[in-house]
Amino acid sequence: MTRSTTRTRRPRPPRGAAPPVLALGPVALPVHPRSVLCAVLLLVLVAAAAAATLAMGRLGIPLTRLPAVVAGAGEATEAFVLGRLRGPRLAVAVGTGAALGLAGALFQSVTRNPLGSPDVIGLGAGAGAGAAFAALVLPGVVPVPMGALAGAALAMALVAAATGTGLRHPGRLIVAGIGVAAMAQAFTHFVVSVMARDQAGVLSAYVNGSLGARAWEHAWTIWAVLLLALPFVAALAGPVTVNEMGDELADALGARSSATRTGAVVLSVVLSAAAVSVAGPIAFVSLTAPQIARRLSGAPGPNLVLSALVGALLLVAADLAVQQSPVGDGLPVGIFTMGFGGVYLGYLLVREWRKGVL
């Protein structure tokens, strides 16, 4: 008589099964293994770029000395480089890049437009016009960063009024934003054409985006806004993902598509305005970071964490290039991100054309 033996096998999850979920109080966020791996790799790359920013160049702190200097045991020159010269600039770059990446991911998700970003709706152009007004009309009265922030806020108010529906209609938002951006750019070009050379140099940094001469106050500003925005970002992550399936399905699942879209656009504008207030209108980071994040993860949804990390990496790397490139010394970092963004946008267009999408 033979005994039949049975082997116990662990059940395998079916293909297409829902990913694990991370519960943060009332908020449930899906966790994709590939996204987690990408996030770890991006963190490593951001840390490496940050270390290179502090270590490279004539005044760089040797890598072997970095831990001691960070702990407060460095020499006077090293403490000056970390505390006054490069440390604040690096902190602003990481925070600003993360804010722009988050803003772009939220905006592109709710508008369902891969080429959309807060720049498209006139925020950056409005900031440049505000900076030009502060530098020319009110020199010494209103700081240029405050002028940039006021210009961004005015541009958003004009866009919201021009749509007739506030910030709820994506198509009208983009069309109105293009018109407001054109008017703001015309005003900025007019100001540049009549300004003195020394004033134009100050203005150029804010029109193109710059991380030069940043202080810890700028770092506290952008990081405070990021920390205050995080609970709202976490709360919107689920509804924004559902909203990508269409308004009718999102409403049926309780995501309230109109309220979700308005909240995401407002949060995107707040994050972008905070970035503008400390670094000026840095172009293309909010456009390219979400696209790169989506391709890295291969997962649906806005990929908010990856977008923030990609944005931080892009801006830190661009600023490192500004500081170390023989042709980039003194140039605004926005010129480098503009060049990279233009190349990447061209790559996307060619790629989609070859696939027959365009």
Side-chain angles (χ1 to χ4, degrees):
M1 184 174 179
T2 60
R3 295 179 60 186
S4 61
T5 59
T6 59
R7 299 177 63 184
T8 302
R9 296 182 179 179
R10 294 182 179 179
R12 296 180 179 177
R15 292 185 178 180
V21 173
L22 174 64
L24 300 173
V27 180
L29 301 176
V31 179
H32 299 272
R34 178 173 167 180
S35 297
V36 173
L37 177 60
C38 289
V40 172
L41 291 176
L42 286 169
L43 279 172
V44 172
L45 290 175
V46 170
T53 298
L54 296 174
M56 294 179 66
R58 185 171 57 88
L59 295 176
I61 304 170
L63 290 176
T64 55
R65 293 281 303 159
L66 266 180
V69 177
V70 171
E75 299 177 357
T77 302
E78 295 171 332
F80 174 78
V81 171
L82 179 64
R84 303 291 290 277
L85 193 60
R86 297 190 182 180
R89 181 170 182 159
L90 176 61
V92 171
V94 175
T96 301
L100 291 174
L102 277 175
L106 287 168
F107 191 87
Q108 289 181 12
S109 181
V110 295
T111 60
R112 305 186 191 113
N113 184 351
L115 298 180
S117 76
D119 299 334
V120 174
I121 59 174
L123 191 143
F133 185 82
L136 176 65
V137 181
L138 302 172
V141 178
V142 177
V144 177
M146 289 302 299
L149 183 58
L154 178 60
M156 291 304 94
L158 289 174
V159 169
T163 62
T165 56
L167 302 176
R168 294 190 297 273
H169 195 289
R172 295 181 184 179
L173 195 66
I174 292 175
V175 172
I178 292 173
V180 171
M183 291 187 292
Q185 288 172 350
F187 177 80
T188 302
H189 289 311
F190 169 76
V191 168
V192 171
S193 67
V194 300
M195 285 182 69
R197 182 173 300 179
D198 56 342
Q199 293 173 310
V202 175
L203 176 61
S204 175
Y206 284 96
V207 170
N208 296 299
S210 174
L211 295 173
R214 299 299 92 183
W216 285 114
E217 306 90 78
H218 302 100
W220 299 133
T221 298
I222 188 62
W223 280 101
V225 173
L226 272 175
L227 291 176
L228 290 173
L230 280 181
F232 299 97
V233 172
L236 280 172
V240 165
T241 302
V242 175
N243 203 59
E244 289 190 351
M245 303 177 185
D247 289 356
E248 293 183 1
L249 182 57
D251 290 334
L253 294 175
R256 298 188 299 171
S257 60
S258 180
T260 297
R261 186 179 300 110
T262 300
V265 171
V266 169
L267 189 56
S268 174
V269 169
V270 169
L271 289 167
S272 298
V276 165
S277 70
V278 299
I282 297 177
F284 278 108
V285 174
S286 58
L287 175 66
T288 56
Q291 293 299 311
I292 296 174
R294 187 180 290 265
R295 283 160 176 75
L296 286 175
S297 70
N303 294 281
L304 296 175
V305 174
L306 289 185
S307 296
L309 291 174
V310 171
L313 178 60
L314 287 177
L315 196 50
V316 172
D319 191 47
L320 179 61
V322 166
Q323 296 183 60
Q324 302 302 325
S325 172
V327 298
D329 186 28
L331 285 177
V333 69
I335 293 179
F336 274 70
T337 61
M338 204 178 301
F340 171 80
V343 171
Y344 186 72
L345 182 60
Y347 160 75
L348 282 181
L349 291 174
V350 171
R351 185 171 178 267
E352 297 301 314
W353 174 72
R354 287 180 175 177
K355 290 168 58 178
V357 176
L358 296 179

